[in-house]
């Protein structure tokens, strides 16, 4: 029987690693283990985890797609989607050609794209945390640009080559939104996980909730942010 292969392609900060892991917990998928990443240890707020890690779902696009005997959702490295790249970063490929190659090599059925649709404040704070070159204000502008233009533009580019489904990741993680979850399992053609809200709630509490009580000023006053902004003020 043919396996259903899905890609999770996304913008930095949009919880794509977690969504990849979460999809793989469903029936017929490999239920990969996760680990918690602390990438800012020793720095201010370094006790707050940056993300989950799900290394067995990673596909380094400079290597062949691994043969699998089960349904799977993968994420790509070193970029999170082919259209984040500049042509000078690629080896004799355009972003569109890279997209076509990835779809063909993996026999991807569909791409699932998390998007932040409404509640971007916590996502912006987290982006500023994991990418210290951004202040919270600049991260908020990034999310406004994604909502105004980038999400739709990238989706249209992808749709030339593959079926694309979007998930409002802010609604799913911050609000345990049933509509978004049922949309996801319809795409995957799998039954509902009995404890799906346990997964979303744990991720919210671990990764996003800490930022509710930390101000933009506190984040922007970190030494690493001040230094990064000095080096690249624009």
């Amino acid at each position: 029987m043919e396996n259903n292969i899905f890609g999770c392609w996304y913008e930095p900060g949009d919880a794509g690693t977690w969504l990849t892991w979460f999809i793989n917990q469903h029936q017929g998928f490999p239920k990969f283990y996760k680990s918690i990443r602390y990438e800012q240890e020793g720095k201010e707020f370094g006790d707050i985890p940056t993300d989950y890690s799900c290394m067995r779902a990673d596909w380094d696009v400079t290597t062949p797609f691994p043969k699998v005997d089960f349904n799977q959702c993968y994420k790509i490295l070193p970029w999170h989607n082919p259209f984040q790249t500049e042509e000078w970063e690629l080896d004799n490929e355009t972003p569109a050609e890279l997209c076509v190659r990835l779809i063909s090599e993996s026999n991807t059925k569909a791409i699932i794209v998390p998007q932040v649709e409404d509640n971007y404040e916590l996502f912006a704070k987290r982006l500023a945390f994991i990418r210290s070159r951004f202040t919270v204000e600049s991260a908020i502008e990034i999310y406004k640009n994604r909502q105004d233009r980038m999400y739709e533009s990238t989706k249209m580019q992808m749709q030339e080559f593959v079926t694309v489904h979007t998930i409002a990741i802010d609604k799913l993680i911050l609000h345990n939104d049933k509509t978004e979850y049922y949309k996801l399992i319809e795409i995957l053609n799998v039954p509902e996980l009995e404890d799906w809200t346990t997964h979303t709630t744990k991720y919210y509490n671990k990764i996003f909730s800490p930022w509710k009580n930390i101000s933009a000023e506190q984040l922007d006053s970190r030494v690493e942010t001040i230094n990064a902004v000095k080096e690249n003020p624009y």
Side-chain angles (χ1 to χ4, degrees), residues 21-43:
W21 172 82
F22 181 60
I23 289 170
N24 282 314
Q25 303 311 300
H26 286 77
Q27 181 176 303
F29 286 75
K31 298 178 175 58
F32 290 142
Y33 290 111
K34 68 177 185 299
S35 58
I36 308 297
R37 298 208 313 259
Y38 291 86
E39 297 174 328
Q40 303 282 346
E41 286 184 298
K43 301 177 182 179

Side-chain angles (χ1 to χ4, degrees), residues 155-168:
K155 179 181 176 181
M156 290 176 64
Q157 288 175 301
M158 292 180 188
Q159 283 178 324
E160 293 186 32
F161 311 107
V162 66
T163 300
V164 179
H165 299 281
T166 60
I167 297 294

